[in-house]
Amino acid sequence: MRVLVRHEEIVDICKKLGAQLTKDYAGKQPLVACVLKGACPFHSELIKHIDLDIEVDYIHVSSYKGTESTGTVVFKKDFDIDITGKDLIIVEDIVDTGVTLSTLKPILESKGISSLKFVSMLDKPSKRKVEFKPDYVGKTIEDLFVIGFGLDLDEKYRNLKDIYVYNED
Ligand code: 5GP
């Protein structure tokens, strides 16, 4: 398998995004929420580089892709923290069709939060089925299936420290 993003580059990405978030949220105490399970390693690295009094929480959502442009999101695990009035930052592993986050967005917006931004470690804009643009992106990639650093194939490979292209041929 070919390495696409080395661990050192991922850490660099987290340092850059962390510095940007530190600047953009100066004077605030955002709630930085990880979307289980794939975003866990990225979220864990990223929060080390946010120099603010942040809060952390974890959500687990399942998206059922219905038609090409619609989806349904079910919370397998909701926030532990009451998100009313919070500056919410959602941390995701990868945006592909955009269905999951574009479906999640209005649900979160209806919960009385102060602000909402999305951070994604990877972005595959060429795969979009619905319009969705994460506010912060670690790295934009081609239309490739990737594994490692949280990204799985049937729950395997999440523990790999680098990100690989799975079965390219
Ligand atoms: P979408 O944006 O299509 O709604 O879904 C995003 C989700 O699909 C991601 O959170 C991730 O779980 C999964 N996904 C999309 N592309 C890939 C990929 O290249 N590799 C892996 N392992 N999962 C992916």
Side-chain angles (χ1 to χ4, degrees):
M1 283 187 297
R2 173 168 71 99
V3 176
L4 187 69
V5 195
R6 290 212 172 273
H7 187 77
E8 294 69 25
E9 188 183 346
I10 303 171
V11 174
D12 272 353
I13 286 169
C14 291
K15 284 183 185 165
K16 275 191 200 127
L17 289 174
Q20 188 64 52
L21 290 167
T22 302
K23 203 169 140 220
D24 294 354
Y25 285 84
K28 296 183 174 164
Q29 299 188 345
L31 169 57
V32 187
C34 170
V35 183
L36 296 172
K37 302 175 189 170
C40 255
F42 173 59
H43 176 266
S44 300
E45 184 60 40
L46 178 65
I47 58 174
K48 291 188 213 168
H49 306 287
I50 305 175
D51 191 13
L52 298 168
D53 285 333
I54 61 166
E55 290 177 300
V56 165
D57 207 347
Y58 298 84
I59 57 170
H60 196 178
V61 294
S62 267
S63 73
Y64 300 99
K65 287 157 197 172
T67 64
E68 291 243 318
S69 58
T70 59
T72 311
V73 165
V74 173
F75 277 85
K76 292 168 108 177
K77 187 209 165 291
D78 207 339
F79 294 91
D80 292 330
I81 297 174
D82 177 8
I83 63 170
T84 313
K86 301 284 182 188
D87 289 303
L88 183 58
I89 302 172
I90 298 289
V91 180
E92 178 61 298
D93 51 3
I94 188 165
V95 183
D96 186 48
T97 63
V99 171
T100 308
L101 294 187
S102 67
T103 310
L104 187 60
K105 195 175 176 189
I107 298 172
L108 297 175
E109 282 171 340
S110 73
K111 290 181 187 274
I113 52 175
S114 223
S115 67
L116 176 62
K117 298 274 184 195
F118 292 90
V119 183
S120 188
M121 175 171 72
L122 299 176
D123 189 13
K124 284 198 266 188
S126 63
K127 290 285 298 291
R128 271 320 178 276
K129 286 186 178 163
V130 293
E131 210 182 303
F132 183 82
K133 201 171 172 297
D135 303 280
Y136 301 88
V137 171
K139 194 177 171 84
T140 300
I141 65 166
E142 308 284 294
D143 176 10
L144 299 165
F145 190 80
V146 287
I147 53 151
F149 207 72
L151 291 153
D152 75 314
L153 177 65
D154 295 335
E155 299 299 335
K156 282 165 69 184
Y157 309 115
R158 293 194 198 273
N159 58 318
L160 302 179
K161 65 200 276 273
D162 305 302
I163 296 171
Y164 296 81
V165 179
Y166 187 79
N167 272 1
E168 209 155 7
D169 308 315

